[in-house]
Amino acid sequence: MTEPPKPKPKRPRIDPWEAAGLPKPGSTLLHRYALERVIARGGMGVVYAARDKELKRPVAVKVLPRPNVTERARARFLREARLAALISHPAVVRIFDAAFVDDLTILVMELLDGQTIYQELKKRGAYAPREALRITAAMLDALAAAHAEGVIHRDVKPSNILIMNEKRRVKLIDFGLSKDLKKRGPALTGKKEALGTPSYMSPEQVLADEVDPRTDVYGMGSVLWEMLTGERAFPSDRKNVRKTFTSILKELPPPPSEKRATVPKSADAICMKALQKKPIDRYQSPREMREDCMRAMIALSRE
């Protein structure tokens, strides 16, 4: 008589949060920050909506997952906090705290209620020209404040600009790739290391050359072009990033009005100047570009 087959041993259940090296919603960090839910995920971390139990206010907590914790990643994460904290401007996300806890690296900042330009473009398409110029002017003011502190954002793109639900105020977020021109701390990037998001990188970023305020002017020009047209100036090809880079180095996108007839020539001119290949041919500062945006907005309000 054959014996019945033995039951297979049950595999222990693996907690997905533990496997990902992340704290569960419902847990509390530093006996202070009560995590409620995940609100965003990115290459450098996961962001939770949370509650500061000490100050009794809502906050956002960005966590670097344990598998991603290298000395370099941790240093870059902490550097993001330090550089963003230097900038005091209503259109720049506020940083409250940064700490290491239970092998986790966390960054605590204001909780923002809204959607990114990237999310809005997916839902509604192109912006009205006056609204696109208003958002651009607000971001240029924020970038000027960052540059005054010696900080180049280096990753200006639609997913790093948040439109608040309250009065559609604008916030610049994510200083994870920012450049410290004042060199407050050790360098974390090699001399010939290209950093940025391919579709929004300036020619000097593609070539891993030196960056300066005109690099962020270029990034803002790309965002304005996309807001006006509903399309990327330089579409990304994940299978062939070199194709995107070649376009950035050798091609200019058409004026936005060739894509949408409602775009005024003044907005065309702003975009095309900001997107020039050579930094010397662009606006030389965010404030200079902002002045043209304001003039174009005034002209539109009179029509």
Side-chain angles (χ1 to χ4, degrees), residues 200-240:
Y200 305 96
M201 289 170 69
S202 65
E204 59 268 27
Q205 285 173 283
V206 170
L207 296 170
D209 288 340
E210 289 296 318
V211 300
D212 63 27
R214 297 169 296 184
T215 302
D216 285 345
V217 163
Y218 184 97
M220 202 60 237
S222 290
V223 174
L224 176 58
W225 198 96
E226 190 165 339
M227 284 194 288
L228 291 169
T229 65
E231 303 174 17
R232 289 183 179 181
F234 299 100
S236 60
D237 186 339
R238 291 185 179 181
K239 294 181 179 179
N240 189 357

Side-chain angles (χ1 to χ4, degrees), residues 12-256:
R13 291 185 63 183
I14 299 174
D15 185 292
W17 295 96
E18 188 176 334
L22 290 165
K24 289 182 184 180
S27 57
T28 299
L29 302 179
L30 294 174
H31 305 288
R32 177 172 180 175
Y33 303 114
L35 307 182
E36 295 174 350
R37 67 187 188 282
V38 172
I39 55 174
R41 294 176 184 269
M44 278 294 289
V46 176
V47 182
Y48 298 76
R51 181 108 187 137
D52 182 341
K53 292 160 68 172
E54 290 288 334
L55 298 181
K56 302 188 184 307
R57 65 180 175 183
V59 294
V61 177
K62 186 175 181 179
V63 178
L64 184 63
R66 287 187 184 93
N68 296 359
V69 177
T70 63
E71 283 303 315
R72 189 181 188 210
R74 181 173 278 187
R76 188 179 289 283
F77 201 79
L78 188 57
R79 183 172 163 278
E80 173 187 355
R82 287 174 176 158
L83 293 182
L86 288 170
I87 306 157
S88 178
H89 190 279
V92 175
V93 61
R94 288 182 296 160
I95 304 299
F96 298 140
D97 195 5
F100 305 135
V101 53
D102 298 331
D103 295 327
L104 293 171
T105 306
I106 70 169
L107 173 61
V108 184
M109 53 198 159
E110 65 178 316
L111 181 62
L112 302 173
D113 182 21
Q115 290 193 317
T116 64
I117 290 176
Y118 171 78
Q119 291 169 321
E120 288 201 343
L121 283 167
K122 284 187 73 174
K123 284 186 177 181
R124 60 181 246 185
Y127 288 71
R130 196 173 190 284
E131 174 72 345
L133 288 165
R134 180 192 73 83
I135 291 169
T136 300
M139 278 297 91
L140 290 166
D141 202 45
L143 288 167
H147 297 167
E149 295 294 343
V151 178
I152 307 300
H153 190 281
R154 205 161 50 174
D155 199 23
V156 179
K157 60 183 179 180
S159 58
N160 280 342
I161 300 172
L162 197 90
I163 312 297
M164 305 283 284
N165 290 332
E166 181 192 354
K167 299 181 181 179
R168 290 188 64 75
R169 292 183 297 116
V170 185
K171 288 278 187 178
L172 178 63
I173 61 175
D174 200 340
F175 282 75
L177 294 182
S178 55
K179 170 84 171 179
D180 181 11
L181 295 182
K182 294 185 179 180
K183 299 180 180 178
R184 290 159 286 206
L188 298 174
T189 305
K191 287 186 177 180
K192 278 296 180 181
E193 186 176 353
L195 287 179
T197 302
S199 286
Y200 305 96
M201 289 170 69
S202 65
E204 59 268 27
Q205 285 173 283
V206 170
L207 296 170
D209 288 340
E210 289 296 318
V211 300
D212 63 27
R214 297 169 296 184
T215 302
D216 285 345
V217 163
Y218 184 97
M220 202 60 237
S222 290
V223 174
L224 176 58
W225 198 96
E226 190 165 339
M227 284 194 288
L228 291 169
T229 65
E231 303 174 17
R232 289 183 179 181
F234 299 100
S236 60
D237 186 339
R238 291 185 179 181
K239 294 181 179 179
N240 189 357
V241 178
R242 286 193 177 189
K243 182 179 177 182
T244 304
F245 287 167
T246 299
S247 296
I248 289 170
L249 293 173
K250 296 186 177 180
E251 299 170 12
L252 268 177

